[in-house]
Amino acid sequence: MSPILVFSVISCYFLLLVGISYFTSRQSDNNTFFTANRQSPWFLVAFGMVGASLSGVTFISVPGEVGNSNWTYLQFVMGNMVGYAVIALVLIPLFYNLKLVSIYEYLKNRFGRKSYLTGASFFIVSQTIGASFRLFLAAVVLQIAFFDAFGIPFYVTVLATIILIWLYTFRGGIKTIVWTDTLQTTFLLLAVIISIFVIMNHMDLKVSEVFGVVSKSELSTIFDWNWRSDMNFYKTFLAGIFITIAMNGLDQNVMQKNLTCKNKGDAQKNIFWFSITFFFSTLLFLALGVLLYKYALDQGIPIPERSDEVYPLLALNEFGTVAGVVFLLGIVAAAFSSADSALTALTTSFCVDILDIEKKKHDQKKTRMLVHIGFTIIMFLVIIVFNAINDSSVVSAVFKVAGFTYGPLLGLFAFGLLNSRPVKDRLVPFICILSPILSFIIDLNSMDWFYGYQFGFEILLVNAAITFTGLWLLYEKKTGF
């Protein structure tokens, strides 16, 4: 693709986002930035969340990962559906009844301030890493499609991308995100659908024949029953449930959007409809993965060593200008959709949870903007570090990291919801730091200790269980007269 064309596409798309930002951020204040004044239409939130949840990880990594692990990722998504039901029926009512801005305020009410700050801190670390990984993918594509042609280094690509995101989120915050996510979800899904049709056209396939090609392919194998495998059905399904609860229900990034709905009922409808749309969207990406590998095989095109590069390579170099432009819009939309909401959620959590901004009488808006800039810089630095050390599929890396960083959050909330036992709040941070360390050691030695067993995403459950057990041991007897 011509670099000028790439630049034109990105520029037009960015101007569209800025236009949305202008109309949604008029007369905005901190309440608008943090909660969108709780006036978002549920169906708009539901559709927009699809793009944010799919993100650049799904857009690039899931089709490419089909070549490594077939359709076994769908086992994980099946678990996701159960997790979303738990979020809708248990967590949404809890958070709405407490009228929370940050969901980690629950931990302060249940355990104390130390637990509250610990939960918020784990979210900030987890979200910074996860969002940076996702944005890294988009930056790689932009580097290949545009910046390499002019000899511009990768760090400049990352800096330009993240500044663009900051520019259209710094005023309207979550209110702007709800609307821009809707636009970005549309482009993301449109990109995968058009990519499938382009492959059909190149391979002279009819719609009915595509179903046959996908279903008969060895790459479409869904279930893995090998108990030693890290993609075994039972552990992948369970991991899907609890990672969804942890990474969505206990994640300020996702729940902040749900809490912008007018009431609890709208938020629950949002979750259920979003989960259904998400499931079928994932099926599209997996089908695209099968078609990508079949196309490359039929055309004699060498498969890149890194599976994350399969889709970008074919879309930008083999499918023609229209498909290349649509792919570019899709990856930019996916990256912006996940990174912009992450940046907003990080700013919200730090301002509300760490700085307690609502108690500041002056300069609240200035403080929020400085925090917003600070997290923009931090995400830039994390992406640069990740680029230097990355050597595996990003889709695996993101969830592996999440298993260690979201585990304490899952343990904290599970303990708080399942019993009323008081704990020694001052010692909770030590338990939450110790849990990921022990989980990492167990994961590292699992094959030797457990007869060849390999942990996959379910390491999250081990981590949460260690946290839960530690909290149980921190029982604090109440004294009174």
Side-chain angles (χ1 to χ4, degrees), residues 9-191:
V9 169
I10 295 173
S11 298
C12 291
Y13 184 74
F14 170 67
L15 289 174
L16 187 58
L17 293 177
V18 170
I20 293 174
S21 174
Y22 172 76
F23 286 108
T24 56
S25 62
R26 288 181 297 180
Q27 298 181 333
S28 64
D29 55 17
N30 275 1
N31 193 37
T32 304
F33 188 97
F34 296 145
T35 69
N37 305 109
R38 301 194 191 278
Q39 293 297 313
S40 300
W42 70 266
F43 51 87
L44 201 70
V45 178
F47 187 69
M49 280 176 59
V50 174
S53 298
L54 291 172
S55 75
V57 173
T58 304
F59 190 76
I60 292 180
S61 286
V62 168
E65 186 66 19
V66 167
N68 297 328
S69 56
N70 304 329
W71 274 33
T72 53
Y73 180 67
L74 195 62
Q75 301 173 124
F76 180 77
V77 178
M78 291 174 185
N80 293 164
M81 299 302 100
V82 179
Y84 288 126
V86 173
I87 291 171
L89 298 174
V90 178
L91 295 179
I92 289 291
L94 172 69
F95 297 149
Y96 262 87
N97 291 340
L98 293 175
K99 298 179 180 180
L100 304 181
V101 174
S102 166
I103 63 173
Y104 308 112
E105 293 174 282
Y106 164 79
L107 299 176
K108 178 170 63 177
N109 299 331
R110 174 63 178 84
F111 300 118
R113 183 160 180 79
K114 295 288 186 182
S115 301
Y116 170 43
L117 292 176
T118 300
S121 298
F122 267 90
F123 161 74
I124 289 170
V125 172
S126 304
Q127 190 62 212
T128 301
I129 295 172
S132 299
F133 282 0
R134 295 179 180 102
L135 193 56
F136 164 79
L137 281 174
V140 168
V141 174
L142 293 176
Q143 185 72 27
I144 295 171
F146 177 71
F147 290 92
D148 273 345
F150 298 95
I152 297 173
F154 182 72
Y155 74 88
V156 175
T157 306
V158 176
L159 187 61
T161 304
I162 207 164
I163 286 176
L164 292 180
I165 293 171
W166 182 86
L167 285 173
Y168 74 83
T169 60
F170 80 98
R171 291 178 63 191
I174 194 64
K175 184 176 181 181
T176 297
I177 299 305
V178 167
W179 287 91
T180 56
D181 275 2
T182 302
L183 175 72
Q184 289 164 169
T185 297
T186 301
F187 279 116
L188 191 152
L189 295 178
L190 191 62

Side-chain angles (χ1 to χ4, degrees), residues 314-430:
L314 296 177
L316 296 174
N317 299 311
E318 302 291 337
F319 290 168
T321 302
V322 174
V325 168
V326 172
F327 169 81
L328 192 61
L329 280 172
I331 186 58
V332 172
F336 281 17
S337 184
S338 59
D340 56 15
S341 58
L343 196 54
T344 302
L346 286 166
T347 301
T348 299
S349 180
F350 196 84
C351 287
V352 174
D353 299 325
I354 307 300
L355 300 181
D356 203 3
I357 195 171
E358 293 179 342
K359 290 186 177 180
K360 290 175 66 72
K361 295 182 178 180
H362 305 289
D363 297 328
Q364 285 189 11
K365 192 170 184 178
K366 180 180 178 182
T367 300
R368 188 198 78 209
M369 291 186 67
L370 288 173
V371 171
H372 204 55
I373 293 171
F375 276 110
T376 303
I377 295 171
I378 291 171
M379 284 179 65
F380 166 75
L381 295 175
V382 172
I383 293 171
I384 296 303
V385 171
F386 181 62
N387 182 54
I389 64 176
N390 178 51
D391 62 356
S392 63
S393 173
V394 176
V395 71
S396 297
V398 168
F399 290 117
K400 195 72 171 181
V401 169
F404 295 114
T405 56
Y406 277 89
L409 278 175
L410 181 58
L412 279 168
F413 275 88
F415 188 90
L417 292 169
L418 294 176
N419 68 87
S420 58
R421 188 180 176 94
V423 301
K424 297 176 182 177
D425 178 55
R426 65 187 181 278
L427 297 179
V428 169
F430 298 101

Side-chain angles (χ1 to χ4, degrees), residues 210-476:
V210 170
F211 287 105
V213 168
V214 173
S215 62
K216 292 177 182 177
S217 173
E218 292 182 358
L219 296 178
S220 298
T221 302
I222 298 174
F223 299 104
D224 183 345
W225 304 108
N226 179 6
W227 72 274
R228 287 189 176 92
S229 170
D230 61 351
M231 293 302 292
N232 170 267
F233 170 76
Y234 297 107
K235 58 185 180 182
T236 305
F237 180 78
L238 285 174
I241 296 173
F242 290 100
I243 280 187
T244 297
I245 294 171
M247 293 186 66
N248 290 272
L250 306 181
D251 185 296
Q252 179 66 21
N253 182 6
V254 177
M255 293 308 292
Q256 188 171 0
K257 296 172 187 176
N258 290 297
L259 295 177
T260 67
C261 293
K262 296 177 182 179
N263 53 57
K264 176 182 69 177
D266 278 0
Q268 289 176 313
K269 284 188 289 187
N270 157 52
I271 289 291
F272 282 121
W273 280 106
F274 151 71
S275 64
I276 293 169
T277 308
F278 173 75
F279 182 83
F280 285 103
S281 299
T282 303
L283 285 178
L284 273 179
F285 280 94
L286 291 169
L288 174 62
V290 173
L291 294 173
L292 288 172
Y293 280 96
K294 180 168 177 53
Y295 177 83
L297 180 64
D298 289 353
Q299 300 296 317
I301 300 171
I303 299 295
E305 289 186 12
R306 287 175 56 180
S307 61
D308 294 335
E309 296 176 359
V310 173
Y311 187 19
L313 172 72
L314 296 177
L316 296 174
N317 299 311
E318 302 291 337
F319 290 168
T321 302
V322 174
V325 168
V326 172
F327 169 81
L328 192 61
L329 280 172
I331 186 58
V332 172
F336 281 17
S337 184
S338 59
D340 56 15
S341 58
L343 196 54
T344 302
L346 286 166
T347 301
T348 299
S349 180
F350 196 84
C351 287
V352 174
D353 299 325
I354 307 300
L355 300 181
D356 203 3
I357 195 171
E358 293 179 342
K359 290 186 177 180
K360 290 175 66 72
K361 295 182 178 180
H362 305 289
D363 297 328
Q364 285 189 11
K365 192 170 184 178
K366 180 180 178 182
T367 300
R368 188 198 78 209
M369 291 186 67
L370 288 173
V371 171
H372 204 55
I373 293 171
F375 276 110
T376 303
I377 295 171
I378 291 171
M379 284 179 65
F380 166 75
L381 295 175
V382 172
I383 293 171
I384 296 303
V385 171
F386 181 62
N387 182 54
I389 64 176
N390 178 51
D391 62 356
S392 63
S393 173
V394 176
V395 71
S396 297
V398 168
F399 290 117
K400 195 72 171 181
V401 169
F404 295 114
T405 56
Y406 277 89
L409 278 175
L410 181 58
L412 279 168
F413 275 88
F415 188 90
L417 292 169
L418 294 176
N419 68 87
S420 58
R421 188 180 176 94
V423 301
K424 297 176 182 177
D425 178 55
R426 65 187 181 278
L427 297 179
V428 169
F430 298 101
I431 293 295
C432 291
I433 292 172
L434 183 63
S435 296
I437 295 173
L438 293 177
S439 299
F440 179 76
I441 294 171
I442 291 170
D443 181 61
L444 202 63
N445 296 281
S446 65
M447 292 189 70
D448 293 331
W449 292 353
F450 307 118
Y451 305 100
Y453 183 90
Q454 287 181 284
F455 281 101
F457 301 150
E458 80 279 7
I459 193 66
L460 171 82
L461 302 181
V462 176
N463 198 342
I466 294 172
T467 303
F468 193 101
T469 303
L471 292 172
W472 187 268
L473 297 174
L474 293 183
Y475 177 68
E476 182 168 59

